[in-house]
Amino acid sequence: IAQALEGKCPGGDPPGTGVAPGNELRKVTLSAYPDALCNDGSPAIMYVRAAANAAAADRWVIHLQPGGGCGSWQECSDRWCSFETSFDAAKMSSTYAPDATIASGLFARNAANGFGAANQVYVYYCSSDTHRGRKRDVVLDDPAGVGPSFRLHFQGFRVVEAVNDALKKGVSSDDGKEKLPPLASAKQILFSGSSAGSVGQTGLLDWWAEQFPNAKVAGLFDSFTDPLPEDVADPTIAAAYALGQKQTYANVLVALHDSFMDQSCVAAHPGADAHLCGLSGHVRLNHITTPFFVRQDLTDPAQFNYFSPSGATLGQFADAVRATMLRFQTLQQSSEETVATAPGVHVSNCGQHIVLLSNPWFGVAAQKNATVADPSGTPLTLHDALRDWALGTPVAAIDTQPSSKSSCVATTGEQ
């Protein structure tokens, strides 16, 4: 793709770095794994930082980076060129990535963050397939026959497999400054993801848990709980939305990316219902048996962009999302599979897409932090809600539409 589009981008900005340069988490290049590739064929990478102390040496947080995706010649060429999109070639290549990056939010090492001392892994996203693809050498042609054809790899799941294998053995950063113990000896692992990373972890969480039967494993999903079509009040909008989901499943998730999906969902829904396994709301509500916590915003602007082609207003979208989020409170009774632990739920109404790497949105800033009130009226940061849930306290803090329970901070464009 780099060769095909060289000099042909329509005025796009030059690529960024993919992550904010820093000196806290350091780069590991997965060059030993020939299938762990970015879209452009450059080697996949991750950023790591060892536990802060011996007491946390068997605790881990493994996070999948956000960053949208692409599912056609037009979308992928625009993405590479940073044309009419907030993404760029740094989300399709490791070439531009710095040697180290910053740590904040879930990764912050300060007194406010009870999760910050663990071994930290930040899986860089450069496959444009929500971390689930299994296809190499995909050639995309301009349907109009005008633009150049180019070749891509959609190998997100192969990257995850490489990350898993490398971490189990124990890794050191490329510069030797960080050395992590073997993940195989972990006792607690939190697998988190934001946006595209959240969608990826939805299909991966039970797979991850199978890899570590001796560890206490949990998931943390930041955004992209798709509303169920039956929770969309307007039947015309619901039908258009459901049709769009089926088309995306067939044309992108299966045909283009060959996406890895939750395996129990795939087994339960063959044939005409197979598309349900591409709907994160359905999978989270019915097929994930590993304990998980889900964070969502009712007026998430990025998620609404995917929903709005159905003809819905933002208010209708918020109502549908809220109806689906309320279902998590009774998931243990309604799920298609047996679920031992009730999920934690933290749902704001602030117009904020993702939050995990933001100090005030996650709830570990020195000053004002975002909160959502629980049913008793107690305002909870996401950090405190996650902590309470991890300690065994049920958590279901869900705002209304319009908002009456959220305390918001300035929105961010974190990617």
Side-chain angles (χ1 to χ4, degrees), residues 233-301:
D234 186 302
T236 301
I237 293 173
Y241 170 58
L243 178 61
Q245 289 288 341
K246 291 179 181 179
Q247 291 173 338
T248 298
Y249 172 83
N251 298 334
V252 179
L253 302 186
V254 175
L256 187 62
H257 297 163
D258 185 25
S259 300
F260 180 90
M261 301 183 198
D262 180 274
Q263 295 299 282
S264 63
C265 182
V266 171
H269 296 290
D273 287 338
H275 68 280
L276 293 174
C277 301
L279 190 63
S280 63
H282 174 84
V283 176
R284 294 174 188 180
L285 284 165
N286 291 285
H287 298 289
I288 298 177
T289 56
T290 305
F292 67 88
F293 191 106
V294 59
R295 176 266 156 199
Q296 180 66 45
D297 193 283
L298 296 180
T299 49
D300 180 333

Side-chain angles (χ1 to χ4, degrees), residues 19 25 30 44-47 62-66 107 121-126 131 156 159-160 163 167 201 208:
V19 294
L25 280 81
L30 296 166
I45 62 174
M46 58 182 168
Y47 290 89
I62 299 176
H63 183 73
L64 299 187
Q65 186 184 19
F107 285 159
V121 180
Y122 187 92
V123 181
Y124 189 82
Y125 180 44
C126 60
H131 298 271
V159 173
V160 169
V163 167
L167 291 175
Q201 290 291 33
W208 280 118

